[in-house]
Amino acid sequence: MRAFLVVMDSVGIGGAPDAASYFNDGVPDTGADTLGHIFDACARGAAEEGRSGPLHLPTLAGLGLYQAADLASDGARAGDQPVTGLWGAATEVSKGKDTPSGHWELAGLPVPWDWHYFPDRVPAFPQDLTDEVCRLAGTDGVLANCHGSGTVMLDQFGEEHIRTGKPICYTSADSVFQIAAHEEHFGLDRLLTLCADLAPTLHAMKVGRVIARPFVGEPGSFTRTGNRHDYAIKPPQPILTNWVQEAGRRVYAVGKIGDIFSMSGIDEVRKGDDATLMRHLSDLVDEAEEGSLTFANFVEFDSLYGHRRNVSGYARHLEWFDAELARLLPRLREGDLMLITADHGNDPTWTGTDHTRERVPVLIAGRGDGSIGQVGFADVAASIAAHLDVPAQGPGRSFL
């Protein structure tokens, strides 16, 4: 009896009841639907780069993905394909459409405060904060000091960063402070130390994450590396990983889960790009201890395709994930559960470049078939705990 909790980062399914309160470039998220709009784009031949035709997700569809999507947003895309899993749609209550908010609540802890967000103006950061960055970095200034996309920040400020040594500091609609620096000219260790030393100041402001964004290359060809590191606020109360660990079970983190939870309740971390993470997940399906929890996040749906509004790329990644999942599910042991969900939306057809407020799918292999209906994010943690027979401490209720 083991549990595998797999987050398809940003694969929302529309229908959030409070979407009108969240915005992209001043436009409310009302009507945002990551999966639905990708499905429609593929159906009309508008997502043909590196793939072709209707969106092909037989494994996820067989677990009830389209039924969940129809439940979330009153759609009609499910058709008559037979379903072999449990399925439902989850609604978030935390006041944020960001990574920590979604993951904390999936792990049983709705965010107990309002995050701090930086204003979309130049400069975005208060002077005392930039002064502290300069003190810690040993520089006489910072670059950017604004909202922006990471790749745009590199194109716009990378050359000046190399020339002056000033760190590139930027934010987004999320509660985040990001610092980009060249691994060779500025130094990777120096960047990581800067972010680690700065994190307590930002956390005291209730900024969710300080993110180190290292890059390499020369002007005109800068690329971000896999050495990103998130310095997140530690959850203030026990979460699913703690519940499992305190019961004497092992907790494996795949991807950025360890960073998101500031290593709270984590025994082992495995990182890499999504292809590498899938290999790690595959290995853990074979190797994870009895009674354990494997908590995985696949970030490239979000980072490579959602934020960049790349519909074809997002569709390709969904189809890749589906094919990989088809190879994993038959290898689950008797008594295992795999629950596949998401943390927020990032509709690649939407205006702006930020996350979108949406419901998310809840798809479960290993516990029969049928609808679990509309559930809460925190119910995911309660259900995983019930499956593993460990005490749950959060507000969620098991749907198993």
Side-chain angles (χ1 to χ4, degrees):
M1 181 178 66
R2 304 173 300 171
F4 298 85
L5 175 53
V6 180
V7 178
M8 303 182 295
D9 200 302
S10 85
V11 183
I13 53 176
D18 55 357
S21 299
Y22 296 82
F23 296 85
N24 263 275
D25 278 356
V27 176
D29 285 345
T30 309
D33 184 350
T34 299
L35 178 70
H37 289 156
I38 294 170
F39 181 98
D40 293 344
C42 292
R44 65 175 183 269
E48 298 288 301
E49 297 176 13
R51 62 164 308 281
S52 186
L55 188 62
H56 185 63
L57 304 176
T59 310
L60 289 165
L63 292 175
L65 175 63
Y66 294 124
Q67 282 80 1
D70 288 351
L71 176 64
S73 51
D74 297 322
R77 299 183 178 96
D80 57 1
Q81 176 171 336
V83 174
T84 60
L86 288 175
W87 56 269
T91 304
E92 184 176 9
V93 299
S94 298
K95 295 180 180 180
K97 54 177 179 175
D98 51 77
T99 294
S101 295
H103 281 78
W104 282 24
E105 194 167 329
L106 288 170
L109 177 62
V111 178
W113 52 61
D114 289 339
W115 296 111
H116 178 83
Y117 300 93
F118 293 107
D120 190 1
R121 65 184 184 221
V122 180
F125 309 123
Q127 187 61 49
D128 59 345
L129 180 58
T130 55
D131 288 346
E132 179 66 2
V133 175
C134 293
R135 184 186 72 81
L136 293 171
T139 61
D140 60 1
V142 303
L143 301 176
N145 202 341
C146 62
H147 280 234
S149 166
T151 52
V152 173
M153 293 293 98
L154 300 191
D155 292 341
Q156 188 171 352
F157 297 104
E159 185 173 3
E160 185 178 358
H161 163 72
I162 291 174
R163 185 177 70 253
T164 65
K166 297 177 182 178
I168 303 169
C169 300
Y170 62 104
T171 187
S172 71
D174 291 346
S175 179
V176 65
F177 189 96
Q178 304 186 79
I179 305 179
H182 199 283
E183 287 195 357
E184 298 169 4
H185 293 280
F186 189 89
L188 176 59
D189 289 343
R190 183 183 174 198
L191 171 62
L192 297 177
T193 298
L194 170 60
C195 290
D197 290 347
L198 184 64
T201 297
L202 274 300
H203 293 169
M205 298 169 62
K206 294 298 186 285
V207 174
R209 288 177 294 165
V210 177
I211 305 179
R213 293 284 197 176
F215 66 97
V216 295
E218 300 302 325
S221 61
F222 292 125
T223 57
R224 297 198 293 200
T225 74
N227 292 320
R228 161 184 169 160
H229 191 88
D230 293 33
Y231 298 85
I233 294 180
K234 185 177 180 179
Q237 299 171 28
I239 54 172
L240 174 63
T241 54
N242 303 113
W243 309 343
V244 175
Q245 193 180 64
E246 289 166 4
R249 317 289 183 81
R250 192 163 183 82
V251 179
Y252 305 89
V254 178
K256 62 180 184 177
I257 296 298
D259 291 344
I260 293 168
F261 296 126
S262 196
M263 290 303 294
S264 183
I266 306 296
D267 292 298
E268 182 179 330
V269 175
R270 303 188 185 191
K271 289 190 172 185
D273 59 16
D274 273 11
T276 302
L277 298 181
M278 187 59 75
R279 291 195 293 271
H280 290 321
L281 181 58
S282 177
D283 289 342
L284 286 165
V285 167
D286 294 334
E287 301 166 3
E289 292 182 7
E290 188 66 14
S292 64
L293 168 65
T294 296
F295 199 159
N297 171 283
F298 288 85
V299 71
E300 290 177 5
F301 297 103
D302 186 60
S303 62
L304 297 186
Y305 308 115
H307 286 300
R308 300 182 189 186
R309 298 303 189 245
N310 183 340
V311 180
S312 294
Y314 210 128
R316 286 198 311 271
H317 209 58
L318 281 166
E319 291 170 338
W320 165 80
F321 182 89
D322 189 89
E324 294 293 328
L325 188 63
R327 288 186 272 270
L328 291 184
L329 293 180
R331 290 168 33 219
L332 293 174
R333 301 173 189 166
E334 184 176 356
D336 284 351
L337 173 150
M338 181 173 285
L339 191 155
I340 301 155
T341 187
D343 54 341
H344 49 69
N346 201 344
D347 189 338
T349 72
W350 212 244
T351 186
T353 61
D354 296 320
H355 297 150
T356 43
R357 182 72 163 187
E358 302 179 40
R359 287 184 167 121
V360 301
V362 178
L363 311 175
I364 305 162
R367 290 297 296 255
D369 60 79
S371 172
I372 59 171
Q374 297 275 9
V375 300
F377 274 39
D379 296 339
V380 169
S383 301
I384 295 287
H387 173 76
L388 293 175
D389 194 25
V390 302
Q393 303 173 37
R397 295 185 176 184
S398 173
F399 43 67
L400 295 179

